[in-house]
Amino acid sequence: MLFVRETNKNYAHSKQERGNVIQVMKTTLSTNLSDIEEKIIKGQRLDFEDGIRLFESSDILAVGRLANIVRERINKNRVYYIINRHINYSNICKNKCKFCAFSREEGDDGAYQMSIKEILGKASQIIQEKATELHIVGGLHPELGIDFYVDMISSIHKRFPKVHLQAFTAVEIAHFAEISGITTYEILKRLKNAGLGSLPGGGAEVFSTEIRKELCPEKLSGDEWLNTMRIAHNLGMKSNATMLYGHIEKDEDRINHLLKLRELQDETGGFMTFIPLAFHPKNTDMKNISSSAGLLDLKMLAIGRLMLDNFDHIKAFWIMLGIKISQISLSFGVDDIDGTVAEEKITHAAGAETPEALTVGEIRSLIEETGRVPVERDTLYNHIN
Ligand code: V47
Ligand code: SF4
C-alpha cells in the first residue's frame, strides 16, 4: 500500500498532466530520426545502422515515442502481468561469472541446494496465491545429473498439473547434457515429457565472443545458447530471451545481440518475449561499475521493441529495473511487467533494492495509473478472465 501512495504522489497526477506529457512526446521527434520513423510507420525492418543511431540519440522521448507506436500496434493499450512464483532451487554453481553475486561453491558459507521435498514445499504456496506459473532456475551443480532435474519437474507436475513450469535456462540445459553425457535434444525431450512447459530467457548475457571471454569464459557460447533455444523451439517448446546490459558492452554488441535473436525468431517463431536485464554490480567481481541509469534502461527497452519486430512482447522485469522505471517503461515499448514473482534471489544477491514480491493489487494499480489496461495472462500469453 505504501507503494501505491508513493506512485500517486510522483506520477501521472492528473489526466491533464498525462495529456501534456503525451503532447510533448508527439512533438519532439528530432529530424535526424525521421527516416527511421518513416520505416516504422511503414512497418519496415530496422537495420544495424538504425539501431546504432537510436542508441546514439539523446532524444529519449523521440525513441520512446517510436517504440510506443510499435507497442500499441501489436498490443494496443494492454499491459500483461502474471501471478507467478520464482524458485531458485540452488546457488551451487561450477561457473564463476564475473557479474554474478548468487553462485557459491559447495561447502561455502550460504551455499544451498533444495531437496525435491523442499521445492515441493515452496511450490505449494502457489495454491493460496492462485499462481499459474512456477519459474525455476538455479546454478550448475558439478555432480547432479539429469535424473534429479527430471524427478524435480515430474514431481511438481504431478502435484500441480495445471501450473505451467517454466524452468532451466539454456545454460542449465547445456550443462545437464554435458554432465549426463547425452544430447541437448534428449535432455529437452525428457524434461518435456516430465512436464516442462517452456524455457526462461536467462544466460544469454551478451552474445559477443570477446565479452563472454571477459565476463563468463566457462559459459556456453552465444551460438550454443541460440542453438539450445532452436532445439527447444523445434520440439514445440516456447522460450523467452534476455540480454544482460549496463556492464562493459558497447552499442554495437547490443544491436548484434538483438539481430541474432531476430534472426532465430524468423526461423523458429519460438520466442515469446524479450527481457533486457539491467546489471546489478553489488557483491560481484565488477562492483566498480555503477548500476545502469534510468535513461539506458528506457533506451534498452525501447530499442529492443523497435529492433525485434518479430517478437510479440517486451518485458520490464521490475525486480531488476525498479518499480518506477518499470511504470514509465509502459510508454517506452513495454507491454509486460512480469508478475508477483514472490522470492527472487539472483538480483537480490547483487544488491537489488526492490521488494522480492508485489501483490496483484499493487501491480494492477501501477499499470492503471499510466492509463493502460492490466491483463492477467498465463505463461503463453493466454488471457485469464
Ligand atoms: O541468467 C546474473 C542474470 C539471469 C546478475 O525469462 C544478473 O521471463 C543482473 O534470466 N545483475 C537470471 N542480472 C534471471 C533471468 C530472468 C529473469 C526474469 C524473467 C525471465 C524470463 C528471466 O540473471 C541470469 C543472468 O543473465 N544475472 N547476475 C546481476 N548481477
Ligand atoms: Fe553460475 Fe549462472 Fe551465476 Fe554464471 S550467472 S555463476 S552460470 S549461477
Side-chain angles (χ1 to χ4, degrees):
M1 282 305 107
L2 177 73
F3 155 70
V4 173
R5 273 205 305 277
E6 184 193 315
T7 53
N8 278 343
K9 193 172 67 193
N10 289 335
Y11 301 118
H13 301 274
S14 66
K15 276 200 171 129
Q16 174 68 44
E17 279 177 49
R18 276 206 298 273
N20 290 346
V21 172
I22 290 165
Q23 197 51 40
V24 170
M25 290 181 76
K26 278 187 177 153
T27 53
T28 53
L29 189 66
S30 54
T31 46
N32 70 349
L33 295 182
S34 56
D35 56 322
I36 296 184
E37 179 181 33
E38 208 176 311
K39 279 189 176 178
I40 288 162
I41 288 169
K42 288 185 182 156
Q44 290 170 353
R45 185 157 265 198
L46 301 187
D47 60 22
F48 178 84
E49 292 301 332
D50 296 328
I52 295 290
R53 280 171 57 209
L54 287 164
F55 267 117
E56 284 172 352
S57 171
S58 51
D59 194 346
I60 182 65
L61 289 184
V63 176
R65 186 173 84 70
L66 295 179
N68 197 47
I69 294 173
V70 180
R71 179 246 191 267
E72 291 190 350
R73 188 187 289 152
I74 302 175
N75 290 297
K76 308 207 163 44
N77 208 18
R78 296 187 285 263
V79 178
Y80 291 100
Y81 70 94
I82 185 164
I83 308 182
N84 62 352
R85 170 165 278 274
H86 281 219
I87 301 179
N88 298 132
Y89 59 85
S90 170
N91 62 355
I92 296 172
C93 186
K94 72 176 185 60
N95 282 5
K96 291 191 172 53
C97 303
K98 274 192 185 166
F99 54 78
C100 180
F102 171 69
S103 91
R104 295 284 182 280
E105 274 185 47
E106 217 171 352
D108 276 358
D109 255 10
Y112 71 88
Q113 168 74 45
M114 291 183 195
S115 64
I116 306 263
K117 197 169 160 213
E118 283 170 301
I119 294 168
L120 283 171
K122 288 260 174 219
S124 66
Q125 298 179 49
I126 56 177
I127 294 177
Q128 71 204 54
E129 293 163 354
K130 298 196 170 62
T132 62
E133 173 190 273
L134 281 168
H135 178 113
I136 305 166
V137 293
L140 313 183
H141 195 283
E143 283 128 37
L144 288 173
I146 185 61
D147 292 346
F148 173 76
Y149 302 98
V150 168
D151 192 15
M152 181 197 299
I153 293 297
S154 68
S155 308
I156 307 173
H157 182 61
K158 274 186 204 134
R159 182 83 71 86
F160 309 107
K162 288 193 182 141
V163 169
H164 185 106
L165 304 183
Q166 180 168 81
F168 310 131
T169 65
V171 180
E172 289 162 274
I173 298 291
H175 169 70
F176 302 161
E178 191 188 326
I179 202 162
S180 313
I182 52 176
T183 63
T184 300
Y185 174 82
E186 280 302 322
I187 293 285
L188 284 166
K189 229 168 66 175
R190 282 193 66 186
L191 289 168
K192 187 176 181 217
N193 290 341
L196 181 65
S198 62
L199 301 187
E205 322 315 355
V206 182
F207 294 142
S208 150
T209 311
E210 291 72 38
I211 292 187
R212 289 182 103 75
K213 214 186 281 171
E214 179 64 29
L215 299 190
C216 47
E218 302 138 303
K219 202 165 243 173
L220 81 181
S221 69
D223 283 345
E224 284 165 338
W225 187 95
L226 288 161
N227 201 40
T228 304
M229 289 307 189
R230 178 180 285 113
I231 296 168
H233 296 170
N234 288 339
L235 273 167
M237 265 190 282
K238 296 279 185 188
S239 78
N240 294 334
T242 60
M243 179 175 110
L244 182 70
Y245 69 92
H247 42 87
I248 57 170
E249 86 289 359
K250 301 212 165 43
D251 291 348
E252 62 189 70
D253 302 313
R254 297 174 187 148
I255 297 296
N256 280 329
H257 186 99
L258 295 174
L259 293 180
K260 286 206 168 181
L261 289 177
R262 189 168 82 181
E263 200 179 304
L264 182 57
Q265 181 73 335
D266 275 345
E267 183 189 321
T268 66
F271 289 119
M272 295 183 285
T273 180
F274 172 63
I275 312 136
L277 301 176
F279 172 53
H280 281 58
K282 207 167 165 189
N283 306 323
T284 73
D285 288 348
M286 299 167 75
K287 44 184 164 300
N288 53 330
I289 292 179
S290 25
S291 303
S292 67
L295 203 69
L296 177 59
D297 295 329
L298 291 175
K299 262 195 184 173
M300 257 329 307
L301 292 158
I303 297 170
R305 177 62 286 168
L306 290 169
M307 298 304 294
L308 297 175
D309 54 10
N310 51 6
F311 275 60
D312 285 342
H313 304 285
I314 303 292
K315 186 194 281 188
F317 186 43
W318 62 262
I319 288 265
M320 288 197 190
L321 289 171
I323 293 161
K324 294 177 183 183
I325 288 287
S326 300
Q327 191 181 39
I328 296 168
S329 76
L330 302 182
S331 300
F332 286 76
V334 168
D335 64 281
D336 184 340
I337 199 141
D338 203 86
T340 44
V341 178
E343 235 185 76
E344 194 276 348
K345 303 276 169 231
I346 299 172
T347 330
H348 284 84
E353 286 170 6
T354 42
E356 277 194 57
L358 283 180
T359 65
V360 172
E362 285 167 336
I363 290 178
R364 291 184 69 92
S365 297
L366 85 85
I367 296 169
E368 279 163 354
E369 282 174 18
T370 67
R372 302 266 192 214
V373 180
V375 177
E376 187 188 342
R377 65 164 175 93
D378 66 13
T379 310
L380 304 177
Y381 287 85
N382 298 303
H383 295 197
I384 294 178
N385 294 327

